[in-house]
Amino acid sequence: MKEIINVEMKARKVEFSRCKADMLCVGLFSDAKGLDKLNAELNGKLEGAIERVIKLGDFKGKEGTIAIIYGSGNIGARRVMLVGLGEKKKATLETIRKASANAANKAVAMKIRNIALAMHRAFGARFDLSTAGRVCAEGVYFGGYRYDEFVTESENGRLDSLEVELIDSDPAKVRKLNKGLLSGVVIGKAQSYARTLANRPGNVMNPPELAAAAKKMAKETAGISCTVFDEKQLAAKGMGGILAVGSGSQNKPRFIVLKYSPASKAASAKPTIAIVGKAITFDSGGISIKPSAKMEQMKLDKSGGIAVLATMKAAAELKLPLNVYGIIPAAENLPSGTSYRPGDIITTFSGKTVEVQNTDAEGRMVLCDGLSYAARQNCDIIIDIATLTGACMVALGKHKAGLMGNDEKLIKQLQRAANESGEKLWHMPSGDEYAEEMKSKIADLKNIGGKWGGACTAAAFLRQFTEDKKWAHLDIAGVDMFEKPSEFSAEGSSGFGVRLLTTYLMNAAKKK
Ligand code: BES
Ligand code: MN
Ligand code: ZN
């Protein structure tokens, strides 16, 4: 199988116009009056080429656009790429991240293996340079990512590696950029790892294979341990929810428990956090089978669990002074003679019973066991992440994930992490009036509510398994994938949640 594109990044001190690169990338705002110092200098050396492109109207600095100018003997780089940054007053960290993604995406598309980025220059002192270095790296990994490990045709093959340098002429700035770059590389690589695992199809990535991937990651990463419960151990523990969902498939369910314990003692003063991710390796709906159109997209129903796996990897590589559990209930939801059925009453790990009214509402059936298991470890905070409901997609579209929870402070901290990571969230309700809809006449709960507010009733169901811990729920249905490629990304898995959760953990680790 083909490896994904290997991205190598570093920060380097060099005069912009002397930098020898296949392509030097600089940023321009759409509403800037005239060129900034760096671009004016390059423009001079390029005999006015930047001004000509702008005067001709071929480049307006809009976000997502670029223009390429070919070098002259007066500069070191063979090409200069102008990268649009949009309006200056609207610029955020996400602007730098997207510009970096756009540049890396174009470099891969054009098979340019060596690029130098100087986009941070356009922002002056607006952002801390270490943060800028981090988001540049995150953006490069995001935009440079491709998934083609099963494409065997080698003709016209894509790049196997991309070298990226963040450049500045001031050594103090280079040091700051480099500091952030190092964590950005960890986060970017973790997100690409997540995207590859998520993009793998159901015949390749089933629950035992996912468990094997988790074991491998834990073995290769200092500070992480991994325990996996197989179907026999699940039965012994009474984990009826995950067992019911997995009962229709030959590929038996697995319950994956990762634990990250840092080497430093500083962690004991901080809360212990559990992140729980839904990993349905393929969701056909089961006996309540889904329509066939686009059912193939349901290989991505493991995205929440994989975001947890990749976040654990990033947290450990960043050596965060924080104890973190990563809990991943993994099952395949298929119809067969051994499947669970509508009408079944299931006893979950918590002891609570659930009447199954729709086997396609399987995410909550595996998560309830994951949440109660998390609550029974010594953790203070539980965050779950799941491609849980089509209703969340109806409510928020494909731009933001749903955020529910029982603790205002935790909600605020996650909203802050969302703003910083560019993985956006929108707060939605999940209170008692929604929980009311999930009551069954013949069991403690049923697994579907009424026609309306499906994302909220699903969250209200989950809340009842959190045993009064501080809890938040991220419904990532819709944001887990891109249906089409864009200026910033390849199609397929988005790796949503890896940047968000890692940022949340980084912030939690910093707090006194
Ligand atoms: N995995 C789906 C939700 C989903 C839908 C994710 C579309 C991504 C894109 C989930 O298991 C599901 O089938 N939910 C049902 C719940 C319903 C039966 C209450 C849904 O949303 O229709
Ligand atoms: Mn389903
Ligand atoms: Zn599902």
Side-chain angles (χ1 to χ4, degrees):
M1 268 189 324
K2 258 190 223 168
E3 295 282 323
I4 67 163
I5 302 171
N6 178 42
V7 182
E8 294 289 340
M9 278 192 86
K10 58 173 193 272
R12 184 160 72 100
K13 179 205 161 299
V14 58
E15 285 301 326
F16 298 103
S17 60
R18 290 227 189 96
C19 173
K20 283 199 172 56
D22 289 338
M23 187 155 73
L24 167 63
C25 307
V26 297
L28 277 90
F29 289 105
S30 59
D31 52 355
K33 291 183 194 76
L35 299 175
D36 65 23
K37 199 167 150 246
L38 163 62
N39 291 333
E41 182 195 327
L42 283 175
N43 184 55
K45 300 229 153 113
L46 292 164
E47 282 129 14
I50 296 181
E51 267 175 334
R52 281 199 296 281
V53 172
I54 294 172
K55 274 215 184 93
L56 283 170
D58 293 5
F59 179 78
K60 300 192 173 72
K62 261 182 65 183
E63 190 172 80
T65 67
I66 57 137
I68 293 172
I69 292 168
Y70 291 86
S72 72
N74 303 327
I75 67 164
R78 297 157 86 172
R79 306 172 184 85
V80 172
M81 176 152 79
L82 311 179
V83 184
L85 302 175
E87 284 177 60
K88 191 164 189 174
K89 64 172 183 296
K90 287 193 184 156
T92 62
L93 283 176
E94 183 67 356
T95 311
I96 313 185
R97 194 183 280 112
K98 277 178 142 175
S100 307
N102 193 358
N105 186 23
K106 291 293 165 347
V108 171
M110 296 173 69
K111 296 181 196 157
I112 298 173
R113 63 175 62 249
N114 170 275
I115 62 173
L117 305 184
M119 271 95 74
H120 66 278
R121 279 290 303 237
F123 297 86
R126 189 145 170 179
F127 303 113
D128 162 60
L129 273 180
S130 162
T131 311
R134 191 186 80 224
V135 299
C136 276
E138 291 172 359
V140 162
Y141 279 88
F142 198 74
Y145 179 81
R146 296 292 185 276
Y147 181 71
D148 55 6
E149 59 179 347
F150 290 102
V151 179
T152 62
E153 289 164 13
S154 55
E155 259 168 78
N156 224 2
R158 50 96 173 135
L159 285 182
D160 49 12
S161 67
L162 179 66
E163 273 171 44
V164 184
E165 289 179 338
L166 301 188
I167 61 162
D168 202 288
S169 53
D170 176 346
K173 289 185 175 162
V174 171
R175 273 197 298 279
K176 283 189 191 152
L177 283 169
N178 193 54
K179 186 166 170 263
L181 178 144
L182 294 173
S183 50
V185 166
V186 167
I187 298 168
K189 280 191 176 163
Q191 188 153 43
S192 294
Y193 165 75
R195 293 174 83 178
T196 295
L197 292 188
N199 279 326
R200 284 188 182 151
N203 63 325
V204 173
M205 193 47 84
N206 55 40
E209 283 300 325
L210 184 57
K215 285 250 179 206
K216 179 166 184 278
M217 187 281 283
K219 203 171 160 198
E220 291 167 356
T221 314
I224 298 193
S225 65
C226 176
T227 313
V228 175
F229 304 140
D230 65 14
E231 68 275 20
K232 286 184 210 90
Q233 290 160 305
L234 292 172
K237 288 189 187 307
M239 291 202 167
I242 179 176
L243 279 171
V245 174
S247 63
S249 176
Q250 305 264 15
N251 303 312
K252 296 299 173 206
R254 293 289 183 269
F255 191 95
I256 303 163
V257 181
L258 296 156
K259 178 143 200 250
Y260 164 59
S261 317
S264 74
K265 290 227 165 62
S268 58
K270 312 251 166 56
T272 294
I273 297 164
I275 49 179
V276 183
K278 165 181 171 180
I280 299 300
T281 57
F282 184 70
D283 180 14
S284 69
I287 298 294
S288 316
I289 198 162
K290 289 180 182 294
S292 56
K294 302 214 172 153
M295 203 203 270
E296 71 279 3
Q297 291 181 353
M298 284 298 130
K299 69 172 186 176
L300 290 163
D301 211 22
K302 56 191 182 301
S303 299
I306 286 169
V308 167
L309 184 58
T311 300
M312 295 301 288
K313 177 172 146 77
E317 287 178 359
L318 294 169
K319 300 192 167 62
L320 299 183
L322 209 60
N323 286 297
V324 189
Y325 283 96
I327 293 165
I328 308 167
E332 184 173 39
N333 190 19
L334 292 182
S336 81
T338 56
S339 295
Y340 79 138
R341 350 163 161 59
D344 284 2
I345 296 175
I346 305 298
T347 302
T348 62
F349 182 56
S350 67
K352 289 187 173 148
T353 56
V354 180
E355 179 193 357
V356 176
Q357 289 192 341
N358 191 319
T359 62
D360 198 12
E362 85 298 337
R364 61 200 77 180
M365 298 300 296
V366 304
L367 281 173
C368 63
D369 286 350
L371 289 167
S372 347
Y373 183 86
R376 290 170 193 194
Q377 310 311 303
N378 56 343
C379 69
D380 306 292
I381 293 168
I382 307 177
I383 301 168
D384 76 74
I385 176 163
T387 48
L388 201 65
T389 67
C392 194
M393 259 172 106
V394 172
L396 301 178
K398 291 183 62 82
H399 306 293
K400 291 183 185 196
L403 165 64
M404 292 80 158
N406 62 7
D407 186 80
E408 279 306 316
K409 204 167 135 202
L410 179 57
I411 298 284
K412 285 225 169 67
Q413 288 164 343
L414 283 162
Q415 280 169 327
R416 176 178 162 208
N419 291 335
E420 291 172 359
S421 67
E423 295 185 329
K424 295 173 199 150
L425 298 175
W426 193 259
H427 190 193
M428 294 164 81
S430 61
D432 290 345
E433 58 274 55
Y434 297 97
E436 199 58 38
E437 285 189 50
M438 302 307 288
K439 283 188 177 154
S440 163
K441 290 204 173 72
I442 56 171
D444 299 330
L445 291 154
K446 54 187 172 114
N447 79 333
I448 57 170
K451 190 168 177 186
W452 311 110
C456 306
T457 49
F461 176 96
L462 296 180
R463 181 162 56 83
Q464 298 178 64
F465 296 88
T466 57
E467 305 189 358
D468 298 324
K469 299 278 184 190
K470 290 175 185 161
W471 159 78
H473 160 64
L474 310 173
D475 192 333
I476 59 166
V479 296
D480 62 315
M481 72 166 300
F482 302 115
E483 265 176 292
K484 290 196 196 96
S486 71
E487 303 302 326
F488 311 107
S489 171
E491 67 198 299
S493 167
S494 65
F496 189 103
V498 179
R499 293 202 315 264
L500 171 71
L501 289 171
T502 307
T503 305
Y504 166 79
L505 293 176
M506 284 167 73
N507 291 343
K510 258 183 259 160
K511 270 204 331 239
K512 297 250 163 56

